[in-house]
Amino acid sequence: MNMIRVQLGERSYPITLGTGILPALPGLAARLGIPRQIAVVTDTRVAALHVRRLSALLRKEGCEVLEIVIARGERQKSLACANRIITRLLESHYSRRSALFAFGGGVVGDVTGFVAATFRRGIPLVQVPTTLLAQVESSIGGKTAVNHPLSKNAIGAYHQPSLVFSDTEFLATLPKREIISGVGEILKYGMLDRGIFAYLDRHIAAILAGDPSALREIILRCNRVKAKLIQDDEREERAGGGRAVLNLGHTVGHALEDLSRYRLRHGEAVVLGLRWELRLALAAGLTDKADGALFDDLLGRVPYHPSIGFIPRDRLVERLVALGASGGFVVPRKIGKVIVARDIPPSLIRSVSRAFRP
Ligand code: GLY
């Protein structure tokens, strides 16, 4: 079992990573002082496969467990879904002294995190991620949110978990699409860290094939990088760097997700976003050419080339121009160094984005 500590003073917490470690979760939660009245929020797929086992382990440790099962998909990241969870908590007389376990992928983690941040002004949250994307990325960092029809992640709060507990055994039952989605976030770390890039260059095929030891190693390496970024810039306040570098691939990615009406999953959109933003950065002369070619080659080895003709290209192009002018794009300078670029000319964003087929 590997343990990484996210050092944030009184909000510090461990990330625990291993294979077949679920039986250790109730004991660890008890040692951390997490309340024993627990609501496990999960989705229908994880409920069918795994929730009975988690609930039984918790009950064996003497916990009271309420299971709350939500539907699958990004549409559950909504105030309506958060409200349904809160209703269940209130009906079951849960209180400030209860805890929430987010047992599932990124959507479950984000909406459960949002409820944990707001129910009775905040209760402890344990993230038990079951997808590659959630184990690599979304279970760590404290950003919680639901979407508004006009904007993704528009309603949210920072609320750090008390524990992140990743058992890679859950990855064995993941559909292929979920592996590609997780790989989107993993590729991003390849651009943030030279060691991760070198590992991916050698092992990307094994990761895509779901090789357990390659998955565990890459999750561990990405978690170490993320923990450090969160420690240094918990609330994304550091100008021109800090945890904002984690948005690499996400400016275009979020636009694609939104304009596809979430037919593209988050991590899938990030794969395309990374390709798109690299093309923009190369065209703007912002990226070292040799490193850009290496990263392009790595991105090309991911067998994900969906047809996105159903997304209105004119709307997408104008959305990207507007985003370039407001927040800018996080772009790679070279492997291991990314920057926020706010001065890519609109004419260049237009010409690249009209023609590009990721
Ligand atoms: N919850 C994901 C993050 O804070 O980055």
Side-chain angles (χ1 to χ4, degrees):
M1 200 185 307
N2 293 96
M3 187 90 86
I4 299 166
R5 197 160 172 78
V6 183
Q7 299 285 5
L8 289 170
E10 60 183 16
R11 291 180 310 289
S12 298
Y13 56 95
I15 302 167
T16 305
L17 176 70
T19 308
I21 58 174
L22 196 66
L25 172 56
L28 179 57
R31 285 197 294 286
L32 291 171
I34 288 159
R36 298 164 87 74
Q37 187 182 51
I38 292 165
V40 176
V41 181
T42 192
D43 69 20
T44 47
R45 194 185 79 86
V46 179
L49 291 170
H50 307 297
V51 82
R52 213 170 298 155
R53 184 159 162 249
L54 174 59
S55 297
L57 287 165
L58 288 166
R59 286 184 181 122
K60 210 166 125 201
E61 188 74 20
C63 298
E64 176 187 341
V65 181
L66 169 70
E67 291 172 6
I68 302 177
V69 181
I70 65 173
R72 299 185 62 206
E74 183 78 18
R75 291 194 189 287
Q76 302 311 309
K77 270 184 66 170
S78 63
L79 281 176
C81 181
N83 199 37
R84 283 193 291 275
I85 296 170
I86 290 167
T87 302
R88 289 287 309 281
L89 297 176
L90 292 171
E91 283 171 353
S92 305
H93 307 290
Y94 274 49
S95 72
R96 266 179 31 204
R97 283 173 292 282
S98 310
L100 278 172
F101 279 40
F103 187 40
V107 168
V108 166
D110 283 5
V111 70
T112 308
F114 177 71
V115 173
T118 50
F119 181 69
R120 301 293 187 204
R121 300 192 183 85
I123 62 173
L125 168 70
V126 174
Q127 290 275 6
V128 190
T130 59
T131 64
L132 183 57
L133 183 140
Q135 294 191 354
V136 166
E137 178 71 28
S138 60
S139 60
I140 302 162
K143 280 185 180 177
T144 76
V146 295
N147 302 332
H148 184 279
L150 295 180
S151 175
K152 187 174 164 73
N153 293 332
I155 310 156
Y158 283 93
H159 185 67
Q160 296 294 343
S162 303
L163 166 66
V164 177
F165 193 91
S166 288
D167 187 339
T168 58
E169 209 166 66
F170 292 122
L171 305 182
T173 50
L174 277 190
K176 180 85 188 155
R177 211 174 156 189
E178 285 291 343
I179 298 282
I180 294 277
S181 218
V183 164
E185 296 288 0
I186 288 171
L187 289 165
K188 172 184 83 180
Y189 283 94
M191 209 59 203
L192 298 180
D193 183 276
R194 260 193 186 277
I196 292 181
F197 182 87
Y199 186 84
L200 287 175
D201 199 30
R202 277 180 281 121
H203 299 285
I204 188 70
I207 292 167
L208 286 163
D211 176 82
S213 68
L215 287 174
R216 186 167 154 173
E217 179 64 25
I218 196 67
I219 295 165
L220 181 63
R221 287 175 183 236
C222 295
N223 286 178
R224 284 197 186 116
V225 171
K226 182 151 189 182
K228 189 163 181 335
L229 286 166
I230 302 304
Q231 278 165 202
D232 293 348
D233 184 23
E234 184 184 6
R235 292 190 165 226
E236 204 167 308
E237 287 162 338
R238 191 170 292 179
R243 73 176 283 174
V245 301
L246 293 165
N247 294 330
L248 184 70
H250 284 61
T251 307
V252 174
H254 281 166
L256 288 169
E257 258 187 292
D258 182 28
L259 292 173
S260 78
R261 296 180 184 275
Y262 299 103
R263 272 163 69 182
L264 296 182
R265 300 231 175 109
H266 176 68
E268 292 173 337
V270 170
V271 175
L272 305 184
L274 288 168
R275 290 179 181 148
W276 207 298
E277 291 177 7
L278 177 63
R279 184 62 62 93
L280 270 177
L282 284 166
L286 294 169
T287 303
D288 174 87
K289 281 200 180 115
D291 277 8
L294 287 173
F295 193 45
D296 201 32
D297 171 68
L298 179 64
L299 292 170
R301 283 189 264 156
V302 177
Y304 181 64
H305 300 278
S307 159
I308 56 165
F310 66 94
I311 298 175
R313 187 59 69 123
D314 287 351
R315 278 185 69 198
L316 177 60
V317 171
E318 290 317 309
R319 175 81 62 93
L320 297 183
V321 168
L323 290 168
S326 52
F329 297 93
V330 180
V331 294
R333 265 243 181 273
K334 55 184 185 170
I335 297 169
K337 170 94 183 132
V338 305
I339 56 160
V340 181
R342 291 200 174 79
D343 49 3
I344 301 181
S347 56
L348 186 70
I349 298 173
R350 279 199 185 93
S351 61
V352 168
S353 301
R354 275 192 192 126
F356 188 53
R357 300 282 174 272

